Amino acid sequence: MKKYFKFIFILPVLIMASCSEEFVTIPVQDASTSGNFFKSEVDVRAATAALYGSPWFQFNDKFNWAAGEELAGNLYHTWDQEGQFFYYSYNAGNAHIRSGWLSLYRVVAIASSIINDMPVFATAIPQDVQDRAIAEAKFARAVAYFILTEFWGEVPIVENVTAKVVNNEVSNPKNTKESIYEFIKRDLEFAASKLPLTDTPGRATQWSAKGYLAKTYLTMAQYYSKKDATKATEFFNKSKTIAADVIDNSGLKLMENYSDLFLMENNNNPESLFAIQFMQGSYSIGNSLQANFARSSLITGNTEAWGGGKCMTYDFLQDVNPNDKRKSAIYMDLGDVYPDINKANGGYKYFIVNRDPSDPNKVLEGASPTLNHLKKYVVGSAQDHPGKVSTGQATAINQYMLRLADVYLVYVEAAIGLGDNTSDGKALGYLNTIRNRAGLPAKTSVTFRELLKERRVEFGMESMYWYDIKRFFYRDQTAAVDMLSNQKREYVFDRDQSSTAADENTKAGYVLRIAGNNGVVPFNPANINVPIPASEVVLDPMLAPDVPAVDYNF
Amino acid sequence: MRKLYLVLSLFFSCLAFAVGQKSITGNIVDQNSEPLIGVNIFVKGNESRGTLSDIDGSYTISAKEGETLIFSYIGFKTQESLIGTSNSIDVSMSPDALVLEDIVVIGYGQSKKSDLTGAVSSVSGEQLRTNLTTNIDQALQGRVAGVQVTQNSGAPGGAASIRIRGANSINGSNEPLYVVDGLPFTGNGASTIGFDWAGGANGQNRVNPLSTISPNDILSIDVLKDASATAIYGTRGANGVIIITTKRGKKGESKISYNTYYGLQTLRKKLDMMDMAQYADYNNQITRDLEITPDQRYADPSLLGRGTNWQNEIFTDAGSHSHQLSVVGGTDRTSYAITGGYFKQDGTVIGSDFDRISTRVNLDNKVKDWFKVGASLAFSKTSEKITLNDGGDGVIIQSLLTLPSVSVRDIEGNYDGPESQFGTNYNPVAAALQRNNTLSRQRLMANLFGDFTIGKGLVFRSELNFDNNHSVGKAFQPTYKWGVLENTENRLRQNEDNSFFWVIKNYLTYEKKLTEKHSITAMLGQEAQKSNYFGNSITVANLPSNDIQELVQGGTVIGNPGSYKGAQSLASYYGRFNYNFNELILATFTYRGDASSKFGPGNKWGYFPSGSVAVRLSQMEFLKNSSLVTNMKLRLGYGLSGSDNIGNNLFEPLMRPFQTPFGNAYVPGNIANPDLGWETTAQANLGLDLTVFKDRLDVSIDVYNKNTRDLLLQSNPPGYLSGIAPPFINIGKVNNKGIDFSLNSRNINRNKFSWNSDLTLSVNRNKIVELESDGKVYYRNLYWYSEFQTVTATTVGMPIGMFYGYQMEGVFKDQQDILNHAVQISDKVITETRPNGTNLVSKNQGVWIGDVKFKDLNGDGVIDTDDQTFIGNPNPDFTFGLNNSFNYGAFEFGVYLTGSYGADILNHTRSVLEGQTGIFINQASTVFGRAQFKYLDPNGSTTDPANVVLANPGTNIPRPTTNDNNRNNRMSDRFIENGSYLRLQTLRLGYTLPSSLTKRVKMERLKVYANVSNLAVWSNYSGYDPEIGAFNQSSLVQNVDMGRYPTPRMFTLGLDVDF
């Protein structure tokens, strides 16, 4: 017996052996799986909440304004890759084109997971809840594709991202613009039919979808204006009808005071139809535009202030009426005072040059090339707004994507339609409401070009003007190219060497210099779209410029 | 009491005398006159009357005249000596070629070196210590053929990358498995927090997993290289196995040893940057070129001094010191080794340091004749402080870019800062000293075992190991005002990570000599292991003061406190069978089955067999009595090993949260692949071991061919399909083939003088054999740096991680040169003959004189992504190590060289230092040689291309341009450099004081030495150091210099004392 006694030590081996399969099955402990996530409506709402926040961040961080405002000739900024948009000298290697693209397609992917994958896992969730979630996802997807096609032109439509990846269908053709507009229209129509009339402020409603639908029809109408007048007219009319529906029936209304639109406490105000939802905290969940636009640390309270050299172009300034109430909300000009910024020191007063009072040799803030600095989306420091601003380039100001004012002006443009101007009473009523808020006199008739100018200022630094120029380009390429090529972009101010030191804070102390190529940057119509990023073409050669786009198979 | 003792001893000595016993003493040395410790001495015919030689090689034994003493020691020829009238017998032992390297530790057992059939290399602790090191991996550099060690950072405690016979995995880790006294862990480094959470690029944040182990504790390291050796580790063996054995106690009088050294580290090389006068001159030139208002302060460079030399400010001479105390001893039944050590190293970049406290207790006890127990317990605590040292936001690159006109401190003694926010974004000195980034780790490693001898030759061993890790990482961003830079919100981030790993092993070994000529050994075992981990991270802002860097009240919590929790497990069965025919033919077969929790149902099990055969030709008749060849063994083996080196639960789709104003939003974290399974490596090895010229020369050559299949890869579809993390898949094949060569030569061995040389040479060729499709390419980028999005490409037919980019043909000379060249920026004027248009010649919007001319590789008249190609190979042709050691009496002298040949380096720092895209950052002096303009009509237009020509044709540095339309700084061979180098790794001089002297102060031995490491490097590389390594250990981003922490030169004085 004693001899075999020692064998009992081998027993654990036999015991362990029997349970090994169980031993090596370990469920995930710190996350849900898609399979067990969707238990109730709350979970579905948590999934759709993703459509409003950080997936848009990379798009908004640089591309939205660098492309949106510089291509359009509103923003003077010539530096590095951001400045390439100012000169139309970007190419497929541009970093911001790439991150804008990836960000928009991330929105597409998240929408796709809600549209296609969620129903598979959410079998216990009522159909109407699912439908509403799908409608929110289709709305976000439509917005992403609208931006994609207006900037890149022809891009691939991907309905089910997971299926494409799993089936290794990783080379896809670009789709035609006609297909993309149709795709956007279908998504928005679905969204308009399933979204509620009201929801938690900030969430997409039926009115958000209809607002975008009006804008999409307007864009389509201009796109078809030279190709198919019947279709164009039909789309103008649809745009008008839907815009009127939103204006008259939504219960939404314009903010009384234009500058109040850009206060953080007015996030999701009744004028907002869709805005990217931002919060303070850390990088990628907050709005980074203050970091990009603010002139100096005196405004932001930290080093995230890279707007010292950014200003509105001389060309933009020419379109702003000196009495326009919108002016100081768009950019900072000599004498402007902002009580909300630098509150501890009684507010921020704008000087062309700001010297250290204790050491006049030390320039705290220098002059910009056009003697102004950016204001919109600049809100102040963490001290000014506790709980709403933090480092990590994060302010809690939402980024407007669609305002009711836009729908007003969409109606006006649709009313002009294929003609050159309109005196339509309803249209002028909408236009004059906007002008009245800006403190400008009413008009009795408006031309397309005048409307364009109105939009340029109304949405200044909201990255909307390039879309307007695109519609102009669709309806009259020659005129649009001519307008861009003659913008006074490189008109800059130099210190007048003959002047005295005392007048550095007067505009008289500076002289206008026409720099570069006679101050203009000629526009080549071939640049109307930005290129698909080189890194994408490398992975999917079907996206190369010389491979033709195909119609989408609906 | 003392009296009694005296009486007693007198009594016993009388007794001894009575039977004719006398006390024999003597010293035992080896062929190099080094004392041999632990030599077994006994009286012939009566083995119970024996003793061991002590640490000095001396012994005392009682014996009678006429008896014979036998001296035996493993690895040496046994000697006999007849006792005559003398009471002193000194012995010089000579090595036995047959059992030269004695016992080698292999998986789940040991083997005589002569019985090995696989490719296993060993390094003794003594060898390791001749190359003074802070971490074990550094000690292995150049020591073992087939093992490539590169320091990824010169930071104290920085991680190294170890590749055993090349890289198998593309996505996964290629670090080997370490087994310390039976406890397995992988070489993947832990991470510090870094600084991306506070804005900017992180830089390298891996720290060294081996830095928790004191090199002084190590007895030997055995490296298992081929599959027949590693297959017994199954799933964990694919990247090779490094077995580390620590010192254990021995029977005999207790020995106390104290080892210490003090070292001084200095920066070996500085880069040549502009000083203030030079920068002023440069600034004047470029403001003129760019037509920007010149800066009045720079009007007369000759009036300016040198300004701040930021390299001098950021680098410093740094000390280090080490203390280690050990007590080793034992009785018949119990032996022990107790060690304790302290090591501290300051970094050569200010603000960085590392320290380690380590203790270890190894205990062995023979409980019964059939039952032995043993235990090892090791605790260590390391603390390290990492300045953000790599990447574009690291303090090293920032110190190079900060203008010399900026001072470190202003007149009031506060930190100064840049004058403009367009330049560097901090004061590097202030950042290095004030932005804290620390990691503190505590680790308890334990091994407990019991050996049960069940019958003759049948032993059952049961082992329990655990590894408990706790680490706290902290990173702090202070409030500050550095010049125009101001930060009014401070932040602290704290991560805590905990893990507990355990493994239980049970295995049965049976040894049997079947007949005179046939013997077998069989082993059969089972094990289960599991790792549980959890952790959390929290960020707080607006702490009351910069001095309190703790999660105290007063700060506000930012975002969600993060946390994670998980576990992974592995269940295994394995066996090994050895057959030995007359010491002539040896065969080994192993088999292992592993089930891993990382794979889904149906895919958990992987099976890994191997077999190998060795023939000892020197045992055959025709060689048996050869005086030339004393050992000759041919080895052949083949086997499989596996890898499950991916994250947990990737076979199912997970939901991940992020914050929104609507509360937490959930998005899919990954696309799942339920079919995910094992990555498998098959390896064939052919080896030859040879000892010739009367044991004076040992040569070992191994040739191997490794094929890894079903690679665990994260698929990379285009970005428009990557909005949700793409799935991991099993796809592709990688081949590594190569030669390991090592040579050990005893060149001179005279009485007092000896000279030995060791050479190792590792040649590896890596090739991707198969991916999803032949055209499939895996790219890697450097952060978001746009021109570096496809820095490396990995594709079929090429080695892993090849540098990928454009080729530079020079810079444009004049307008015609630009117009004649393929289109880089099109004027978009399309004609029949020019379908791509022509180059737009324009200073601000197009291509200009002095811009880089890229090569039109496909000849289609346009420079686009199709013109990128493979422009460099970061994998070396071969690496080597050459050690020469000389002994003369009590003196020893060593020269140790290591090197690498044929690898290319991407010097990314140069794209910034010579990038010329900003007018507020400093540049390298080489920029003076950049493209300069000459105006044909000096009064003519500077923007008329017809008036501008290149003044200095032949330059390779383009013109300055602030928005770089031509993308001069894109990834191109402009930044690829030759990374071959030869390093004088160690120069060492040691002296052992005569024992006659030391014994007076009760010292057994006292040795002093001086050591210089990294004294010189011969290389053409223009950066700090040509040894770059893998960025955060990734084999896809190797040899990319992003401001790597330079490896310092170190002068050391040390002392070893034995009592």
Side-chain angles (χ1 to χ4, degrees), chain B residues 33 49 129 246 253 285 295 470 486 497 511 548 558 569 572-573 653 680 733 742 787 857 885 917 952 958 986 1054-1055:
Chain B
S33 309
R49 284 167 56 200
R129 269 178 291 282
T246 62
E253 194 193 344
Q285 284 186 49
D295 193 325
H470 172 70
E486 185 172 11
D497 302 287
E511 272 183 72
I548 302 169
I558 299 290
S569 59
S572 322
Y573 300 90
T680 307
K733 287 182 183 153
S742 66
E787 295 296 2
L857 278 181
S885 58
T917 53
N952 53 340
T986 314
L1055 190 67

Side-chain angles (χ1 to χ4, degrees), chain B residues 154-221:
Chain B
S161 272
I162 298 192
R163 301 278 176 271
I164 298 179
R165 295 183 163 181
N168 304 327
S169 272
I170 293 181
N171 275 169
S173 165
N174 284 300
E175 301 300 323
L177 175 73
Y178 295 92
V179 182
V180 178
D181 291 338
L183 174 73
F185 63 90
T186 56
N188 301 346
S191 296
T192 62
I193 298 176
F195 264 105
D196 56 347
W197 64 279
N202 228 359
Q204 287 204 84
N205 56 354
R206 288 290 174 92
V207 298
N208 200 314
L210 295 173
S211 62
T212 53
I213 298 167
S214 168
N216 276 306
D217 283 349
I218 294 169
L219 177 71
S220 66
I221 295 181

Side-chain angles (χ1 to χ4, degrees), chain A residues 31-63:
Chain A
S32 302
T33 66
S34 304
N36 62 23
F37 178 77
F38 295 102
K39 294 189 197 76
S40 72
E41 185 174 352
V42 174
D43 304 317
V44 177
R45 295 282 277 179
T48 52
L51 297 163
Y52 299 88
S54 86
W56 295 94
F57 176 84
Q58 289 295 342
F59 158 74
N60 190 57
D61 179 43
K62 298 279 189 296
F63 182 83

Side-chain angles (χ1 to χ4, degrees), chain B residues 983-997:
Chain B
R983 185 190 305 273
L984 180 47
Q985 184 88 22
T986 314
L987 209 59
R988 179 185 172 89
L989 180 65
Y991 175 66
T992 307
L993 269 69
S995 57
S996 54
L997 216 63

